Amino acid sequence: MLPPFRTEPFTDFSKPENEAAFRAALEKVKAEMGRSFPLVIGDRRLLLDQTFTSINPSRPSEVLGIFSKGDVSHADMAVATALEAFKTWQYTSVADRARYLLRAATELRRRKHEFSATMVLEVGKSWVEADADTAEAIDFMEYYARQAMRVADSSHLLVPNPGEQVGLYYIPLGVGIVIPPWNFPLAIPTGMLTAALVAGNAVILKPAQPSPWVAWKLCELFWNQGLPPGVLNFVSGPGSSTGAQMVAHPKTRFIAFTGSRDVGLNIFEQASKVPPGQIWLKRTILEMGGKDAVVVDETADLEAAAQGIVAGAFGFQGQKCSAGSRAIIVGDVYDQVANRVVDLTRKLQIGAPDIGPHIDMGPVVNLDSMQKIMGYIEVGTQEGELLLGGSPVETAEGGYFLPPTIFGDVTSNARIAQEEIFGPVLALMRARDYDDALDIANGTEYGLTGAVYSHDRARLEQARREFHVGNLYLNRKCTGALVGIHPFGGFNMSGTDSKTGGPDYLLLYTQAKSVAERL
Ligand code: NAD
């Protein structure tokens, strides 16, 4: 019997002992920089000649790790190996599988700062953001372990039939490919991986190119718990070839993907094809991008709204699917809110986040990303009034630093109001009234998160009905979903609304078997 699930508390870095512990973790992780990492397929460790590096975006010349570049032959090898391991793993008891997750959670809690420090270096998270990422990973392990035991045998939900013994069992699917993004490089792979494993599937993790180090550490954590070889395989390499091969493979049973709209659509299409030798329809769990909006009306607590807008837009440099990249403010209070948002944003501290907990914003993840965001800033100068930011922040070490950038009076059909930028760029938009604001908010192809600041009860109820997003927040910021509390996933082009961290999520990694025996 397990104690009830509780979310992992966040670390208070204002306490000197916590700051000291985090600094020690950073030193430990820095001392490990520059190692080479193999692919792990079953019990084989393949250190390849073809490699790619993981770098620190604050100081791009700093190489964190050298990773083997798996190709399509490794993709095939990994699927075959996972299929073999699945033959026995599928019959391990759910309690045994859950125990792996619980042990991993205990170990991760013990080494929490080490994992967070890795993210500070590898993707430029602030201490607070990295700590929240690790806490979420622990939560997924603890939550899915409990959910697995709840759902595996659901026979008690059936209607009894005299003369028959009836059962309903959620059994695993087979070999799954887990394809995460780099922006929650610990929590998101952990969520998809642990759900797949605890449901009895064998898994291949293909980490995102910018964040293989923390993904490796996650897999190692599980291998150290004694997971049988082949149940969890690590294949680093390019998504467009190695990842695509695993998606297309006839023995792949499901794909759990989190990432951009375009790659998600590509996987959706490729997975729908049935190559020779494939005897099932692949399942796809696809969580994609967002163009999330914060609506503010004239009855709102304007200070709370401005704070929520700034936190939602610029936390982790705006590189969250849930980032509030549009603030839609009714005309009467537009100027007041816009001025306050600009004032608060000016106070954000930018720098290499390993310096200390006072850094609010680190670099964006890599040069490609920086150039893409700069392209949107260029577009923005044609589409709105530049109120803050706009040019890269130069550093001696050439880090990928962009300032928080705010455009005012952006119209609803502007590109910077429609397309996901995935960087620290906020569009402020003026609405005629509340109805107009909701129309603008709903006026993109996405539907992930949204927030409304208002003290008008009827309008809050209207938002509950009409604001078409998977995660709606009333009088609070639009980021920061908690496992078990805010099941997460979006509508329309934001994905398949799988609701990670929710009571139904695990079922996506299973198939239901109904058994009736005449007595
Ligand atoms: P991305 O789509 O570029 O890459 C995601 C993953 O897909 C990577 O591991 C990549 O290697 C792999 N990949 C690329 N092409 C592939 C192919 N053809 N076949 C198989 N795999 C392939 O996304 P990203 O830049 O890593 O992450 C940012 C995106 O993720 C943003 O759009 C963000 O909104 C989204 N995201 C969504 C959620 C959510 O829950 N909805 C959460 C986090 C991030």
Side-chain angles (χ1 to χ4, degrees):
M1 183 69 180
L2 289 169
F5 170 77
R6 299 243 180 287
T7 54
E8 183 68 14
F10 297 139
T11 307
D12 177 357
F13 290 112
S14 69
K15 292 192 173 154
E17 64 272 25
N18 290 342
E19 180 174 342
F22 202 90
R23 286 195 190 282
L26 276 165
E27 287 317 307
K28 177 182 187 305
V29 173
K30 284 181 181 178
E32 295 170 1
M33 275 169 28
R35 286 169 47 201
S36 292
F37 295 88
L39 310 183
V40 177
I41 301 177
D43 51 15
R44 279 164 296 193
R45 294 188 159 230
L46 305 171
L47 210 46
L48 305 180
D49 294 337
Q50 295 287 319
T51 58
F52 66 100
T53 53
S54 168
I55 54 116
N56 179 350
S58 299
R59 293 181 286 273
S61 60
E62 216 167 83
V63 173
L64 304 177
I66 301 157
F67 285 83
S68 293
K69 198 179 199 173
D71 62 22
V72 294
S73 70
H74 303 110
D76 290 345
M77 189 192 296
V79 175
T81 303
L83 192 59
E84 200 51 38
F86 176 66
K87 288 180 184 163
T88 44
W89 178 247
Q90 63 178 321
Y91 298 124
T92 48
S93 76
V94 66
D96 282 350
R97 297 194 304 250
R99 266 198 295 275
Y100 284 105
L101 270 60
L102 296 169
R103 288 205 299 271
T106 303
E107 175 75 0
L108 182 54
R109 200 174 280 118
R110 205 171 57 72
R111 292 167 56 197
K112 176 186 248 199
H113 293 332
E114 176 194 332
F115 277 77
S116 302
T118 308
M119 290 186 272
V120 167
L121 297 180
E122 193 169 41
V123 296
K125 288 212 167 195
S126 69
W127 293 22
V128 168
E129 293 284 352
D131 182 63
D133 200 317
T134 305
E136 189 176 356
I138 295 169
D139 289 346
F140 280 134
M141 293 170 177
E142 294 278 355
Y143 185 77
Y144 292 146
R146 287 165 174 76
Q147 290 299 323
M149 292 195 272
R150 183 181 67 85
V151 302
D153 183 346
S154 292
S155 305
H156 61 283
L157 299 176
L158 299 178
V159 176
N161 196 23
E164 272 188 346
Q165 188 187 52
V166 291
L168 180 66
Y169 310 103
Y170 285 92
I171 68 168
L173 291 166
V175 173
I177 317 299
V178 169
I179 306 179
W182 51 264
N183 72 325
F184 280 85
L186 181 57
I188 291 181
T190 301
M192 296 192 287
L193 197 69
T194 53
L197 289 177
V198 80
N201 302 288
V203 173
I204 301 157
L205 175 70
K206 197 223 68 66
Q209 296 267 97
S211 58
W213 197 17
V214 65
W216 167 273
K217 277 178 177 271
L218 168 65
C219 290
E220 195 180 39
L221 191 80
F222 272 97
W223 297 323
N224 288 347
Q225 309 313 317
L227 208 61
V231 170
L232 169 57
N233 305 280
F234 178 85
V235 178
S236 45
S240 55
S241 52
T242 314
Q245 176 75 5
M246 292 191 273
V247 168
H249 199 288
K251 299 297 180 197
T252 292
R253 180 64 182 82
F254 68 96
I255 298 117
F257 164 85
T258 309
S260 63
R261 169 196 180 280
D262 291 355
V263 174
L265 289 185
N266 179 273
I267 291 176
F268 188 53
E269 190 184 338
Q270 296 308 318
S272 71
K273 296 178 181 159
V274 180
Q278 182 177 313
I279 58 165
W280 44 65
L281 303 179
K282 283 173 187 153
R283 184 166 304 170
T284 52
I285 302 156
L286 307 171
E287 291 310 306
M288 294 147 45
K291 190 69 196 175
D292 311 304
V294 181
V295 168
V296 185
D297 80 1
E298 71 283 8
T299 70
D301 175 340
L302 300 186
E303 179 58 25
Q307 289 186 12
I309 289 169
V310 173
F314 300 121
F316 190 36
Q317 298 80 267
Q319 301 171 117
K320 297 184 188 181
C321 54
S322 56
S325 55
R326 299 179 294 153
I328 306 165
I329 307 158
V330 300
D332 290 355
V333 292
Y334 175 91
D335 291 325
Q336 199 181 335
V337 175
N339 289 338
R340 187 65 187 138
V341 166
V342 170
D343 282 349
L344 288 171
T345 306
R346 272 187 218 286
K347 297 189 179 129
L348 296 176
Q349 298 274 324
I350 305 172
D354 56 343
I355 299 173
H358 61 287
I359 296 292
D360 300 300
M361 288 178 64
V364 298
V365 77
N366 56 27
L367 186 60
D368 277 359
S369 184
M370 183 161 167
Q371 287 169 344
K372 179 180 157 209
I373 299 163
M374 279 310 297
Y376 274 110
I377 290 177
E378 194 57 44
V379 170
T381 55
Q382 313 299 316
E383 293 184 327
E385 184 191 353
L386 182 63
L387 301 177
L388 195 70
S391 315
V393 180
E394 307 282 338
T395 60
E397 290 145 322
Y400 306 126
F401 292 98
L402 288 175
T405 296
I406 302 176
F407 289 102
D409 280 307
V410 177
T411 55
S412 57
N413 55 2
R415 280 185 62 199
I416 63 162
Q418 289 290 328
E419 297 173 21
E420 187 184 45
I421 299 173
F422 219 58
V425 181
L426 170 64
L428 300 180
M429 306 168 74
R430 200 184 284 268
R432 278 193 313 276
D433 52 27
Y434 183 73
D435 284 343
D436 187 37
L438 273 192
D439 277 349
I440 297 171
N442 282 331
T444 76
E445 62 178 7
Y446 294 105
L448 189 44
T449 75
V452 173
Y453 285 88
S454 172
H455 279 142
D456 183 312
R457 172 51 42 199
R459 289 179 183 173
L460 292 173
E461 295 304 320
Q462 186 183 350
R464 279 176 190 261
R465 288 190 308 272
E466 297 174 17
F467 198 164
H468 195 58
V469 289
N471 285 74
L472 177 63
Y473 300 104
L474 303 178
N475 289 316
R476 53 148 288 181
K477 68 180 171 129
C478 65
T479 55
L482 294 171
V483 171
I485 296 174
H486 313 113
F488 190 80
F491 300 157
N492 297 343
M493 281 299 156
S494 292
T496 49
D497 190 39
S498 64
K499 288 292 184 276
T500 58
D504 305 327
Y505 185 68
L506 270 192
L507 299 184
L508 298 168
Y509 293 81
T510 66
Q511 49 199 340
K513 184 166 186 174
S514 163
V515 179
E517 179 176 349
R518 174 158 298 175
L519 297 174

